[in-house]
Amino acid sequence: MCEHQSNRRKRDEVQHGSYHQYYEFRPQDSRPDHLKKCLLGCRSQLNIPPTGTIHLLDVGCNRGLLSNSVLAVVREIFGDRPVSLLGVDIDEELVRDARKEFEGIEFVQADISAIAAGRVENDPIGDYLSSNQIDRFDMIFCFSVLMYPHLNHGDEGLRLLLDYICSKSKVLVLELQSWEKYRDNVRRLKRDCGEQFPLYEKLEWRGNQGKLEQNIYKYVEKQGFERKSEELNKNEYKRNIVIYSS
């Protein structure tokens, strides 16, 4: 890989979360276990039809390892129901790797930051819904992904993205990054790439001790979603899973 390509990849990793060694530096992943506990505790309260295929969307799927685990958990929790999962990621190379490793799952390249920027020129998520003749996914998963469009497109951009996600889902599963992680990412972009997130200083949704997360949770609730479950025991990265249902 030439120096230009290497620098571009490094910038994309920090700016958009496109980490090609993500599962190498996160080999222990407790999220499937946390998700299972949450779903077992609230599955009867979720707005999921009792029959038919359960459609899932994993936003920011990387190369699909967590997507595959999520699919297995949902199949276990909901018994013999057919389950279909769409995984989307901004990085085409990661999507190609996911397709090779998990042939039974559909993976497509999609830039959710375009939604945060107010433009949706190519919408494979909408295409999936249309091709399956459904108006919403049964469940959308956002594992440690919303920080990136938030940093790149500000509070209004994140609100636009949340509007889109909420309109496309019956159940929303969120794992949010803390304000401390935001600041780490800002420092890393400046240190490694000599660049800045231009809207960072203007963010009003900010703050430690859960202040940032509460802004996002409250906004989701304003869209008609109700919190059904929360895994209080945070994972090894000090994050927990919250499930909302419309």
Side-chain angles (χ1 to χ4, degrees):
M1 182 183 296
C2 70
E3 183 177 354
H4 173 73
Q5 289 175 314
S6 178
N7 290 339
R8 181 178 178 181
R9 173 173 288 184
K10 181 182 291 186
R11 186 189 66 209
D12 288 345
E13 286 182 345
V14 182
Q15 187 173 6
H16 301 293
S18 302
Y19 292 101
H20 284 245
Q21 284 76 43
Y22 182 80
Y23 293 104
E24 279 70 22
F25 61 72
R26 190 171 183 170
Q28 301 298 322
D29 196 340
S30 61
R31 288 176 294 184
D33 290 335
H34 284 191
L35 176 63
K36 182 178 177 180
K37 290 178 183 177
C38 287
L39 287 175
L40 283 172
C42 70
R43 60 182 173 181
S44 63
Q45 305 173 50
L46 302 180
N47 180 20
I48 296 179
T51 60
T53 300
I54 298 175
H55 293 276
L56 314 176
L57 171 64
D58 183 17
V59 178
C61 62
N62 199 271
R63 57 186 177 89
L65 273 72
L66 182 58
S67 305
N68 188 56
S69 296
V70 165
L71 183 62
V73 167
V74 173
R75 282 175 171 161
E76 179 181 354
I77 296 297
F78 290 93
D80 297 328
R81 300 273 302 278
V83 183
S84 175
L85 187 145
L86 172 68
V88 300
D89 197 276
I90 190 174
D91 192 299
E92 180 61 41
E93 185 178 341
L94 290 172
V95 169
R96 288 198 301 268
D97 290 344
R99 288 173 184 153
K100 292 177 183 177
E101 190 163 357
F102 305 105
E103 296 181 357
I105 301 176
E106 182 177 352
F107 294 99
V108 297
Q109 189 276 334
D111 181 7
I112 62 166
S113 288
I115 299 169
R119 63 180 193 276
V120 186
E121 300 168 359
N122 177 29
D123 185 13
I125 296 173
D127 292 343
Y128 176 94
L129 294 173
S130 297
S131 64
N132 286 276
Q133 299 182 325
I134 55 176
D135 60 348
R136 291 187 292 171
F137 289 89
D138 292 289
M139 305 178 75
I140 291 182
F141 300 87
C142 295
F143 289 109
S144 295
V145 70
L146 294 180
M147 175 182 73
Y148 301 102
H150 194 190
L151 282 172
N152 284 297
H153 300 287
D155 294 328
E156 183 57 28
L158 180 57
R159 285 190 286 267
L160 284 173
L161 180 56
L162 289 171
D163 288 344
Y164 179 89
I165 292 172
C166 288
S167 72
K168 303 296 184 186
S169 184
K170 300 171 185 175
V171 174
L172 186 57
V173 180
L174 297 178
E175 180 198 56
L176 303 180
Q177 286 143 305
S178 68
W179 183 246
E180 180 180 359
K181 179 64 177 176
Y182 275 60
R183 292 189 298 181
D184 287 345
N185 224 50
V186 169
R187 286 192 290 264
R188 186 178 179 193
L189 186 66
K190 185 175 182 179
R191 181 193 68 213
D192 294 351
C193 308
E195 298 183 22
Q196 297 180 343
F197 292 102
L199 298 177
Y200 171 69
E201 296 296 341
K202 297 180 181 179
L203 295 181
E204 295 182 1
W205 287 9
R206 60 168 61 218
N208 288 317
Q209 299 178 332
K211 292 180 181 178
L212 164 69
E213 295 93 320
Q214 286 305 314
N215 280 300
I216 298 173
Y217 294 149
K218 288 177 182 178
Y219 191 81
V220 169
E221 290 163 6
K222 288 181 180 179
Q223 308 311 304
F225 283 76
E226 183 178 349
R227 187 180 300 200
K228 296 298 182 180
S229 178
E230 179 175 8
E231 176 52 54
L232 296 177
N233 295 320
K234 295 185 178 183
N235 62 27
E236 59 273 19
Y237 288 85
K238 299 179 181 180
R239 301 169 197 165
N240 58 359
I241 292 174
V242 180
I243 299 180
Y244 283 94
S245 184
S246 59

